[in-house]
Amino acid sequence: MTASEVDPALEAGFEAGFEAGFEATIARNDRIEPRDWMPEGYRRTLVRQVAQHAHSEIIGMQPEGSWIGRAPSLRRKATLLAKVQDEAGHGLYLYSSCETLGVSREQLTEMLVEGRQKYSSIFNYPTLSYADVGTIGWLVDGAAICNQVPLCRTSYGPYGRAMIRICKEESFHQRQGYELLMTMMRGTDEQRAMVQESVDRFWWPSLMMFGPPDAESPNTQQSMAWGIKRNTNDELRQRFVDMTVPQAKALGVTLPDPDLRWNEDRHAHDFGTPDWDEFMAVVKGNGPCNAQRIAHRRKAHDDGAWVREAATAFAARTTQAALEGTSR
Amino acid sequence: MTDTTPRAEWPLYEVFVRGKRGLNHVHVGSLHAPDDEMAVLHARDVYTRRNEGVSIWVVRSDAITASSPDEKDPLFAPSGDKVYRHPTFYDIPADVPHM
Ligand SMILES: [Fe+2]
Ligand SMILES: [Fe+2]
């Protein structure tokens, strides 16, 4: 038998063996690495999740980026610039791990600007006041940390390693935001009102960042079985609420939920239900800023094309010069 | 309509960072760059924004030869039964010091 005629029974046997190896690795709580065999569904789920995560970091630069030039002092500008630059870095770590699953960077960028892959719904809300910079650091990065810390133990090696790098940097993001809000709360009545108004706008969208309720999240169970996700959406949302309530109290702001109260029996906070219709509308592309965010990303990519092409041409010319043994 | 013809991507580089003197360079991830020099500059921006390293190596990903498609392949299997390579294989009386 030649190499080209593979016996189908033999091939099925190999496949079953590989699958057993994969399942055993997952069962041992060990990591799957890029060159390991993996089921197509596992690969597809990871590409979707890691790409969505990467896109969120990249699109997430926009709402805050628009305040860099208007931040009130050099210190605040430098902090915000560093924070937004970190988000670019997070996007790059994640694109790099996504590419180990066999998709190219160019494909990923195309799928984002054509709306075929999603990013976090939170970034489709506008930043109307400077207090939003603080609120985003506190609540949005806070929610991201809640999501990301368990993902450091995700079953796919490159994704987990990217998450570890990201988590190390996120605590700066949350703390600078909280400190900004504390500073404003020590200011005038008008400044305190700005903080409260900002928290009122961002509280519910922050809770939506954890995704739909478990009962309506069809992929969660399989993702948990594969060790891609370590907690359900509702578990993480609860954790976030419990972490945030005392922080809000220390800050002196009210979280805009009349049903929010401590439940002694559950040893956790009860809280109201986010507006899931609004969430679905934003996910489907009808949030306040969806079109603007994508248009901006597309423009940045198109405007950068000549730089990418010039660098490629320069590299080709210097390689050629080196081959010919001439100096350029 | 936008032009959807795929443009040639910059090649992929693997990035290795020496965290501090006395340590090995460790693989930290990858990035795209048009050439070696730009790869080092990008690596500095992406992977060492907080003094994470004192030295960076970059190498084209397609220049790396790997042991086998599957990391658990037979290449490593022989070492599994060579227990005599491990110090605990050898019985030493408990009263012999510093062994
Ligand atoms: Fe981030
Ligand atoms: Fe962040």
Side-chain angles (χ1 to χ4, degrees):
Chain A
M1 192 162 78
T2 65
S4 58
E5 343 163 356
V6 180
D7 178 353
L10 198 64
E11 197 170 30
F14 277 135
E15 182 97 1
F18 288 145
E19 177 133 32
F22 171 85
E23 296 293 348
T25 305
I26 296 287
R28 280 199 310 277
N29 220 344
D30 219 337
R31 300 294 182 264
I32 303 297
E33 293 295 343
R35 297 160 71 88
D36 291 340
W37 183 92
M38 61 186 84
E40 184 48 29
Y42 178 83
R43 198 189 73 85
R44 224 179 316 117
T45 304
L46 268 169
V47 168
R48 190 183 56 224
Q49 181 170 331
V50 180
Q52 179 166 333
H53 201 153
H55 298 328
S56 301
E57 304 283 355
I58 295 298
I59 296 290
M61 289 192 282
Q62 292 184 36
E64 289 178 285
S66 68
W67 281 96
I68 292 172
R70 293 177 285 165
S73 66
L74 187 58
R75 174 178 179 260
R76 296 291 177 191
K77 284 185 170 72
T79 300
L80 187 51
L81 192 59
K83 199 246 180 196
V84 171
Q85 190 194 16
D86 272 352
E87 305 301 3
H90 297 176
L92 295 177
Y93 305 155
L94 287 161
Y95 282 133
S96 142
S97 37
C98 201
E99 287 179 85
T100 66
L101 293 159
V103 276
S104 75
R105 177 74 58 86
E106 193 71 23
Q107 278 175 313
L108 290 166
T109 304
E110 255 162 41
M111 285 195 275
L112 170 64
V113 298
E114 286 168 11
R116 286 188 284 141
Q117 281 177 339
K118 309 246 173 266
Y119 55 89
S120 178
S121 57
I122 190 81
F123 301 118
N124 291 316
Y125 291 87
T127 41
L128 303 177
S129 85
Y130 177 64
D132 291 356
V133 171
T135 309
I136 288 178
W138 174 37
L139 295 180
V140 176
D141 288 85
I145 292 171
C146 249
N147 248 330
Q148 291 169 350
V149 167
L151 286 175
C152 295
R153 293 178 293 111
T154 190
S155 62
Y156 188 57
Y159 187 29
R161 292 192 284 275
M163 289 323 313
I164 291 171
R165 299 187 73 83
I166 289 174
C167 284
K168 277 188 192 152
E169 302 181 352
E170 286 294 349
S171 101
F172 147 60
H173 297 180
Q174 195 186 22
R175 290 172 70 104
Q176 64 82 32
Y178 194 78
E179 188 240 32
L180 192 165
L181 296 180
M182 282 198 326
T183 309
M184 288 185 78
M185 291 301 284
R186 285 195 301 267
T188 62
D189 284 347
E190 203 186 348
Q191 285 174 311
R192 275 186 287 276
M194 267 173 82
V195 173
Q196 184 62 57
E197 188 273 338
S198 173
V199 170
D200 289 347
R201 271 185 293 115
F202 274 94
W203 174 248
W204 291 109
S206 301
L207 291 191
M208 295 176 196
M209 285 175 69
F210 297 94
D214 293 350
E216 283 144 53
S217 175
N219 302 324
T220 294
Q221 228 178 2
Q222 180 62 73
S223 284
M224 302 256 301
W226 275 331
I228 296 176
K229 279 174 84 160
R230 295 297 186 182
N231 299 91
T232 71
N233 298 350
D234 286 335
E235 282 168 14
L236 294 169
R237 192 166 11 246
Q238 178 74 57
R239 191 178 295 174
F240 175 67
V241 170
D242 291 337
M243 275 171 39
T244 308
V245 168
Q247 295 168 353
K249 193 164 171 245
L251 191 60
V253 295
T254 318
L255 298 173
D257 178 358
D259 298 324
L260 181 66
R261 65 180 60 85
W262 177 251
N263 181 329
E264 188 57 42
D265 296 336
R266 289 201 309 124
H267 254 264
H269 291 87
D270 291 338
F271 55 97
T273 308
D275 182 348
W276 293 117
D277 291 339
E278 175 186 320
F279 173 74
M280 284 317 296
V282 177
V283 167
K284 291 212 171 84
N286 302 318
C289 300
N290 296 56
Q292 176 190 338
R293 299 292 185 236
I294 290 296
H296 187 89
R297 179 69 193 92
R298 186 193 291 273
K299 183 173 187 302
H301 190 62
D302 291 349
D303 288 352
W306 73 269
V307 179
R308 294 191 295 277
E309 282 155 21
T312 304
F314 181 78
R317 206 178 67 191
T318 42
T319 311
Q320 191 59 31
L323 284 176
E324 287 164 8
T326 58
S327 62
R328 57 173 194 263
Chain B
M1 279 310 290
T2 51
D3 176 18
T4 52
T5 38
R7 278 167 289 241
E9 280 198 334
W10 286 347
L12 191 65
Y13 283 82
E14 301 298 324
V15 180
F16 301 78
V17 171
R18 185 197 292 287
K20 56 180 184 182
R21 290 173 181 282
L23 297 180
N24 286 320
H25 284 78
V26 173
H27 182 243
V28 292
S30 61
L31 49 76
H32 290 275
D35 57 30
D36 299 356
E37 211 179 319
M38 288 300 292
V40 172
L41 292 176
H42 287 173
R44 188 200 58 193
D45 290 346
V46 178
Y47 291 104
T48 63
R49 286 192 301 284
R50 291 181 174 76
N51 297 321
E52 287 95 337
V54 295
S55 159
I56 297 172
W57 287 349
V58 295
V59 60
R60 287 268 299 247
S61 306
D62 57 14
I64 292 180
T65 307
S67 53
S68 65
D70 185 322
E71 312 252 359
K72 300 186 297 294
D73 223 50
L75 185 71
F76 298 109
S79 60
D81 53 19
K82 292 191 179 68
V83 285
Y84 50 83
R85 289 184 172 174
H86 296 274
T88 47
F89 181 72
Y90 303 94
D91 276 333
I92 305 287
D95 54 0
V96 179
H98 305 304
M99 287 286 284

